[in-house]
Amino acid sequence: MSVSETCDNLRWYVAFTKPQSEDRAKWNLERQGFSTVCPYEMRTITRSRKQIQVKRPFFSRYIFFGVRSGLSVYSVNYTFGVSCVLENGSGKVLVPQNVIDDIVAKIDERGFMIKKQEPEKPRHHVGDTVKILRGPFEGFLGEIARVDDSEAIQVFIDLFGRRSTTTLPVSGVSPPSSASA
C-alpha cells in the first residue's frame, strides 16, 4: 500500500518515527497492510568538503498512514521504525482527508514533492533605465549604477539637476515601458 493507491475510505493518522527511520517505518507499515504517505525531497549537503544531493523525507521523522476497517491503529506503536502515533490528549490525531489529498497531489511518480516554480526575476543590468515603483522617488526614471547579489540595486536619479544615488530592492523598480499605469 503506498501513495499511488487510493486514499479514499481510510482514516489517516501521523506516526512519529525513530531518527532516520522513515523508510523502515514505511516498509513495515505497508507490510502490515496500512497505506502510507511519506514524500521526499532532494537536499544538497556537504560531505568530505563536497556538495552532494541526498534523498530526505519532506516531513522529517513523520509519516502519514491510512487505516482500513479491520486494522488497529494501536499496532502501529509497536512497528519497527515508529516511535509513537501522535496524540492530542483526547486520542490519536486524525488527519483530515483533504490534507492527505493535497499532499498526494503534490507528489510526483517517484515520491518526491513537486517544487513550486517561482516566477523568473527580471534581470537588471548596469546602465539600464528603470522606473521607480514605490518610495519617495516613485515615478522617477533612473539608471542602474550597481546590481548587488543581495536583491538590492543602486540607481542614479536626477534630483534638482544633480545626479544622486539611491539603493532600492529589485522589486521596487521595473523597465519604464511595463511600469506605465
Side-chain angles (χ1 to χ4, degrees):
M1 314 294 157
S2 66
V3 168
S4 61
E5 295 188 23
T6 181
C7 296
D8 296 333
N9 300 323
L10 299 175
R11 291 182 326 264
W12 288 92
Y13 299 91
V14 182
F16 186 64
T17 65
K18 295 184 177 170
Q20 299 178 6
S21 295
E22 294 87 356
D23 287 333
R24 183 178 192 188
K26 183 179 188 325
W27 186 83
N28 283 305
L29 287 168
E30 289 175 358
R31 193 172 55 83
Q32 293 176 52
F34 295 101
S35 293
T36 61
V37 175
C38 184
Y40 295 92
E41 67 179 343
M42 292 302 287
R43 289 192 193 155
T44 303
I45 63 168
T46 304
R47 190 174 284 161
S48 300
R49 287 182 264 163
K50 292 182 183 177
Q51 300 276 327
I52 60 170
Q53 294 279 328
V54 294
K55 175 183 165 184
R56 295 279 192 224
F58 191 78
F59 301 108
S60 183
R61 294 197 68 188
Y62 293 95
I63 186 168
F64 299 94
F65 64 96
V67 180
R68 291 180 178 73
S69 60
L71 289 176
S72 172
V73 174
Y74 299 102
S75 65
V76 174
N77 281 328
Y78 304 103
T79 301
F80 288 114
V82 173
S83 183
C84 64
V85 177
L86 293 188
E87 296 187 20
N88 63 3
S90 62
K92 310 280 187 228
V93 175
L94 194 61
V95 180
Q97 182 67 45
N98 64 330
V99 172
I100 298 298
D101 292 341
D102 287 346
I103 293 170
V104 170
K106 294 175 180 143
I107 299 174
D108 67 12
E109 65 279 350
R110 299 176 308 139
F112 288 91
M113 289 293 279
I114 298 169
K115 291 191 177 187
K116 183 178 173 184
Q117 294 294 329
E118 293 183 22
E120 189 173 318
K121 295 178 184 171
R123 302 269 182 216
H124 298 290
H125 303 286
V126 173
D128 287 352
T129 300
V130 293
K131 183 173 183 178
I132 300 174
L133 300 176
R134 53 186 166 270
F137 303 114
E138 181 177 343
F140 279 60
L141 292 178
E143 178 186 331
I144 296 180
R146 192 172 93 202
V147 179
D148 293 335
D149 290 336
S150 63
E151 301 295 320
I153 59 172
Q154 284 190 340
V155 178
F156 289 127
I157 56 172
D158 288 325
L159 192 62
F160 304 117
R162 281 186 23 179
R163 193 171 201 186
S164 299
T165 306
T166 184
T167 303
L168 302 165
V170 172
S171 62
V173 298
S174 72
S177 60
S178 67
S180 60

